[in-house]
Amino acid sequence: MQIDLRSDTVTQPSAAMKEFMMQAPLGDDVFAEDPSVNQLEAKAAELFGREAAIYCPSGTMTNQIAIKLHTRPLDEVITDKLAHIYNYEVGGYAYHSSVSVKLLEGDRGRLTADQIKSGINPEADWLPNSSLVVLENTCNKGGGSYYNLQQLLDIQRLCKEHSLKLHLDGARIFNALEESKITPKQIGEIFDTVSVCLSKGVGAPVGSVLIGDKKTMKRARKVRKVMGGGMRQSGILAAACIYALDNNLAKLKEDHRRAKTIEESLRSTAYVADILPVDTNILIFRLIEDVSGENFIQYLSANDIKAIEFSPQNVRFVTHLDFTDEMLQKTITVLKSFG
Ligand SMILES: *Cc1c(COP(=O)(O)O)cnc(C)c1O
């Protein structure tokens, strides 16, 4: 039995999902004529209570399009230093949009309205113009932390007061919503644009959607095209996303339960120095100094468990749709016998 805890992106489409993909009506989406893509976009927009959405090959692309839409060159994006847009998108904010970032130090990736306020530049010839705030929910590097509604409403109010645009990197928004009990429509009301990955927890093979108002999404189509993201019969992929939204949302709480169970078991081992609180499906823990991260990863690998050393001495596990209770039991057994 091979166990893969490297990411929730490793899931395989189920037989039923593949069957659904094979039945999908297709067309050319660059002409906006793919019925399955159109259906997915309408479904995502409606779910979040917004006018429109656009299907893209990746969450990096939806985030980068959003940054492009909400900024002009010489602007600055305010975000947390753990943000995916800063750490893992190859510096695309500078490359595509010619903007800088103001990095703030939040609580496991979560910013407060007051912190953001302190990050807004005053008007001066020599300062970049603060124009956009990007939040991440859940926050990957924060160990799957999520915002509560009041925190988000406070940030929304601040952004309105200071004419800042507000984008959500919601790669794992459904994991956040499962725990915070916020509705997708509430999220849609708070943010100017929302990026949602279908290739993470909900288990589709490819793609993300960017959601917002009609005018902004019309411009997003142009930006997607210039980035090379205009796809043709992509409905075959969009169909998998429709299937995922219809069938897999309710399963996320199982992923959270399994991550919690691993956390509890790790707490009783001698080789773990500390563990970030497990709020959703991500578990990040630090090994004691005597244990090398590389050796630990190798030990897991020798026992058919794949995991990554997230940063030196820190290991990340991500639970997902293809990680079963049987795999959970085996993982716990392997973890208990290390050392
Ligand atoms: C995965 C992820 C993305 C997008 O990644 P892609 O691999 O480009 O789809 C964006 N933000 C966060 C927080 C992520 O975890």
Side-chain angles (χ1 to χ4, degrees), residues 9 57-61 63 84-85 89 136 138-140 169-172 195 197 199-200 207-208 316:
T9 55
S58 72
T60 297
M61 188 179 281
N63 281 335
H84 194 279
I85 59 154
E89 299 185 10
E136 189 173 312
T138 68
C139 179
N140 171 26
D169 177 353
R172 296 189 179 83
S195 160
C197 287
S199 57
K200 300 259 165 97
S208 293
R316 186 186 76 167

Side-chain angles (χ1 to χ4, degrees), residues 258 261-262 265 271 305 327-337:
R258 292 185 183 111
T261 309
I262 300 176
S265 148
Y271 57 87
I305 299 175
M327 293 175 180
L328 173 67
Q329 283 321 312
K330 165 151 183 212
T331 301
I332 286 171
T333 307
V334 170
L335 288 172
K336 276 195 185 338
S337 48

Side-chain angles (χ1 to χ4, degrees), residues 146-173:
Y146 59 85
Y147 285 87
N148 67 40
L149 184 60
Q150 195 54 52
Q151 293 169 317
L152 294 177
L153 290 171
D154 291 347
I155 292 171
Q156 178 194 26
R157 176 151 31 84
L158 178 90
C159 289
K160 285 235 152 72
E161 278 167 17
H162 294 268
S163 303
L164 297 168
K165 295 288 184 185
L166 183 56
H167 170 70
L168 176 65
D169 177 353
R172 296 189 179 83
I173 188 60

Side-chain angles (χ1 to χ4, degrees), residues 131-245:
S131 63
L132 170 65
V133 173
V134 177
L135 304 184
E136 189 173 312
N137 195 24
T138 68
C139 179
N140 171 26
K141 248 176 147 29
S145 53
Y146 59 85
Y147 285 87
N148 67 40
L149 184 60
Q150 195 54 52
Q151 293 169 317
L152 294 177
L153 290 171
D154 291 347
I155 292 171
Q156 178 194 26
R157 176 151 31 84
L158 178 90
C159 289
K160 285 235 152 72
E161 278 167 17
H162 294 268
S163 303
L164 297 168
K165 295 288 184 185
L166 183 56
H167 170 70
L168 176 65
D169 177 353
R172 296 189 179 83
I173 188 60
F174 296 119
N175 297 86
L177 299 182
E178 175 59 41
E179 297 299 323
S180 62
K181 301 300 171 199
I182 302 174
T183 66
K185 287 201 169 60
Q186 285 172 310
I187 291 291
E189 270 175 36
I190 292 171
F191 292 90
D192 292 291
T193 48
V194 177
S195 160
V196 177
C197 287
L198 287 321
S199 57
K200 300 259 165 97
V202 294
V206 179
S208 293
V209 284
L210 183 66
I211 303 160
D213 65 49
K214 218 171 176 164
K215 197 170 147 221
T216 308
M217 290 307 104
K218 184 158 171 50
R219 279 214 299 136
R221 289 186 71 86
K222 234 182 234 296
V223 181
R224 181 183 65 175
K225 193 73 177 85
V226 78
M227 287 182 176
M231 299 186 287
R232 301 296 178 172
Q233 284 73 31
S234 42
I236 194 150
L237 299 171
C241 299
I242 294 169
Y243 181 91
L245 288 173

